[in-house]
Amino acid sequence: MWQTIDLSQYIDSYFIDNQIAKYNLSAWIGGYLEQNDCSTVFLTFLNQSGQIINSSIQIGPVMAVDRGNETQLMFRQAQGPIPIGTRFFNVEVIFSRLIGNTNHAAIDNIAVTVYQ
């Protein structure tokens, strides 16, 4: 699943282009018992033409060993400056099924906060 956000609704481009604006990407990521089905969140910054600026930011996956082979969600986050020229960002979640017919990956409360 994915969503593209137009930053002009939330922050003036002056703050982005003068390296004042920052982001915080967070989510609760997890899975089921000893299964390694997993999810990963990617944050990609885009310029006015929709071209990618720099590389994507990633949080996750959270594997079974990270969870102690228990069913649970674990908090993950990344933060940093918004790259100069960014006008949009794309948030994408990839669910990966590693075994069986059902994906037991879990994710909740995905958030991107933009601040100065």
Side-chain angles (χ1 to χ4, degrees):
M1 66 183 169
W2 58 272
Q3 182 175 10
T4 301
I5 305 296
D6 179 351
L7 283 173
S8 68
Q9 300 176 31
Y10 302 101
I11 193 164
D12 190 295
S13 60
Y14 169 86
F15 297 107
I16 294 170
D17 295 339
N18 286 285
Q19 298 185 315
I20 299 168
K22 297 177 176 52
Y23 71 88
N24 184 71
L25 168 66
S26 63
W28 288 86
I29 303 172
Y32 179 73
L33 295 175
E34 71 285 341
Q35 295 182 9
N36 275 320
D37 294 345
C38 57
S39 53
T40 306
V41 182
F42 297 93
L43 177 64
T44 305
F45 300 100
L46 308 168
N47 67 16
Q48 187 64 42
S49 300
Q51 296 174 322
I52 295 173
I53 299 174
N54 297 341
S55 57
S56 295
I57 308 303
Q58 173 183 331
I59 57 174
V62 173
M63 306 305 284
V65 67
D66 301 320
R67 297 180 277 104
N69 292 325
E70 294 181 9
T71 301
Q72 65 175 304
L73 296 169
M74 301 183 79
F75 185 74
R76 295 291 187 259
Q77 73 175 351
Q79 52 195 349
I82 297 176
I84 293 170
T86 298
R87 297 298 178 263
F88 302 88
F89 65 76
N90 187 59
V91 179
E92 182 176 10
V93 180
I94 303 292
F95 293 91
S96 301
R97 177 177 43 92
L98 301 181
I99 264 185
N101 296 323
T102 304
N103 190 329
H104 291 101
I107 196 159
D108 198 9
N109 292 338
I110 302 164
V112 180
T113 305
V114 175
Y115 61 97
Q116 54 188 18

